[in-house]
Amino acid sequence: MTALTVESRADERSTQTLLERVQRMIRANPSVLPTVASVVIFVGMVIFGEVAYGRILQFNTLSNLLINNAHLIVLAVALTFVILTGGIDLSVGSVIAVSSVAGVMLSNAGWNAFAVIVAMIVIGMLFGVVSGVLIRYFNVQPFIATLAMMFLGRGLASLLSTKPERLGEDSPIRWIGTQLKIIDGPKVNDLVITPAVLIAVIVVAVAFFVLHRTRTGRTVYAIGGSENSALLMGLPVQRTKVMVYVISGGLAGLAAVLYTARLGTAQNITGIGWELDAIAAAVIGGTVLTGAYGYVLGSVIGALVLGLMNVLITRDGGIPPEMTTIITGGILLVFVLLQRAVIRKRE
């Protein structure tokens, strides 16, 4: 028996062992099935893109995927917190608009860069506070409360400015979008990141820790499973419900910082439809819209699926950009149906 045959059989056994572990994990916890499906879809898209168009599995493609979608990853994390409680936040796109326009105007007015960044995040948190108060103290449905905040945010952004506001070339905020070379590859195939990507990674890590290693995270999941049961267990339900909207608003403000630093401009029309992209990323990543089931890392994969889909459509050249929305809707529908099947199985 040759060494090549032994190595081949060893690879087959390791692959079979991995598949068996995945199967056991799904049987033990069927709620991970949508997340596993999103990983499979992402890997399938990568393989298809490499075979059909080439130059997908290389440093510069990975770099661009992360750099261009850092803000979407942060938004997907924000929506994960909210959706896990059974709520929704439609205001994040408008929060990005008003935060970015206000931030650029404050920066151009001579404010310190750190103070501007803090102000942009605080603006988002204030929107979250209002949404949370409406939901907690006035029993307004999350859909209506955040819809009102969406219109308010868009109106305030338009009130501040109706023309593009450009960030000063010498503004330190632009450093967040500066590309840093990690690996010097051949020709233009370099692995580069930006501080914005690092910030997005930190946000994902902190969110993962909070949701899976703290009492607050357990409360978030408990609220989505059954709010009444969470109250009977003595969990801080009302406080946590307000907190998740504050987190969502604050992360939307942070996403505004990352996006503005990369482009260097802000407009009152920035972020239109981004709340739907973030919801789609969370759902594709396995977060169930009725709450209680979902994972932050799955939402990250969902955001990358949407980003990679745009890359593949651009590489093809023959697919009209309008197809992106249609394909996204189709994928979203498949995952919603998959979630329904998982919920019924658990019931």
Side-chain angles (χ1 to χ4, degrees):
M1 184 179 295
T2 64
L4 183 61
T5 303
V6 173
E7 184 178 351
S8 176
R9 290 185 176 179
D11 290 341
E12 290 178 0
R13 285 196 296 269
S14 62
T15 302
Q16 185 176 3
T17 301
L18 178 61
L19 291 175
E20 289 175 352
R21 288 179 180 177
V22 172
Q23 289 175 353
R24 287 197 298 268
M25 180 178 64
I26 293 175
R27 283 196 296 268
N29 186 12
S31 63
V32 304
L33 181 58
T35 302
V36 172
S38 68
V39 174
V40 171
I41 285 180
F42 180 74
V43 173
M45 290 173 67
V46 170
I47 295 173
F48 170 78
E50 182 66 28
V51 172
Y53 311 116
R55 296 183 300 169
I56 296 296
L57 289 173
Q58 59 181 15
F59 287 144
N60 66 334
T61 301
L62 175 63
S63 300
N64 291 332
L65 185 63
L66 293 175
I67 291 172
N68 294 336
N69 294 282
H71 67 283
L72 180 58
I73 290 174
V74 172
L75 281 184
V77 172
L79 266 296
T80 301
F81 273 88
V82 174
I83 295 175
L84 282 175
T85 63
I88 201 73
D89 191 349
L90 301 177
S91 66
V92 291
S94 297
V95 167
I96 287 180
V98 66
S99 295
S100 59
V101 172
V104 172
M105 295 178 71
L106 291 175
S107 178
N108 293 338
W111 277 43
N112 175 270
F114 181 76
V116 171
I117 293 173
V118 171
M120 294 172 72
I121 296 174
V122 169
I123 289 172
M125 294 177 69
L126 290 176
F127 273 82
V129 168
V130 175
S131 295
V133 168
L134 288 174
I135 293 167
R136 174 183 176 180
Y137 293 103
F138 297 93
N139 293 321
V140 178
Q141 289 295 322
F143 182 91
I144 300 300
T146 57
L147 182 66
M149 290 299 100
M150 181 184 76
F151 286 118
L152 176 62
R154 192 65 62 184
L156 288 175
S158 300
L159 190 63
L160 289 174
S161 177
T162 56
K163 65 181 188 297
E165 297 291 335
R166 186 168 182 81
L167 195 63
E169 295 293 339
D170 58 345
S171 174
I173 297 176
R174 284 183 175 270
W175 177 81
I176 298 176
T178 302
Q179 295 189 1
L180 309 173
K181 185 181 294 187
I182 304 300
I183 298 178
D184 188 4
K187 296 182 180 179
V188 295
N189 188 23
D190 301 328
L191 178 62
V192 298
I193 61 171
T194 63
V197 173
L198 296 179
I199 292 172
V201 171
I202 293 172
V203 167
V204 172
V206 172
F208 179 86
F209 176 80
V210 170
L211 284 175
H212 300 288
R213 294 291 184 272
T214 67
R215 185 169 183 260
T216 298
R218 290 190 291 271
T219 303
V220 169
Y221 279 96
I223 292 173
S226 173
E227 185 173 330
N228 290 332
S229 297
L231 285 169
L232 291 174
M233 288 188 291
L235 298 176
V237 172
Q238 303 301 337
R239 185 180 67 193
T240 304
K241 286 178 69 175
V242 175
M243 185 191 67
V244 295
Y245 287 96
V246 175
I247 291 174
S248 180
L251 290 179
L254 179 60
V257 174
L258 305 186
Y259 185 77
T260 304
R262 180 166 68 89
L263 289 190
T265 59
Q267 289 183 263
N268 63 316
I269 59 173
T270 298
I272 292 179
W274 288 7
E275 61 278 347
L276 302 182
D277 289 338
I279 293 171
V283 172
I284 291 172
T287 304
V288 179
L289 285 171
T290 53
Y293 305 117
Y295 304 92
V296 168
L297 298 182
S299 298
V300 174
I301 296 297
L304 294 179
V305 165
L306 295 180
L308 183 58
M309 183 172 62
N310 288 325
V311 171
L312 296 180
I313 289 176
T314 302
R315 288 284 182 89
D316 184 274
I319 302 177
E322 294 79 9
M323 286 297 297
T324 303
T325 305
I326 298 175
I327 296 173
T328 302
I331 295 176
L332 193 59
L333 178 61
V334 169
F335 274 84
V336 169
L337 294 176
L338 182 61
Q339 289 178 2
R340 293 304 304 165
V342 169
I343 293 173
R344 288 179 180 177
K345 185 175 181 179
R346 289 185 69 91
E347 291 175 350

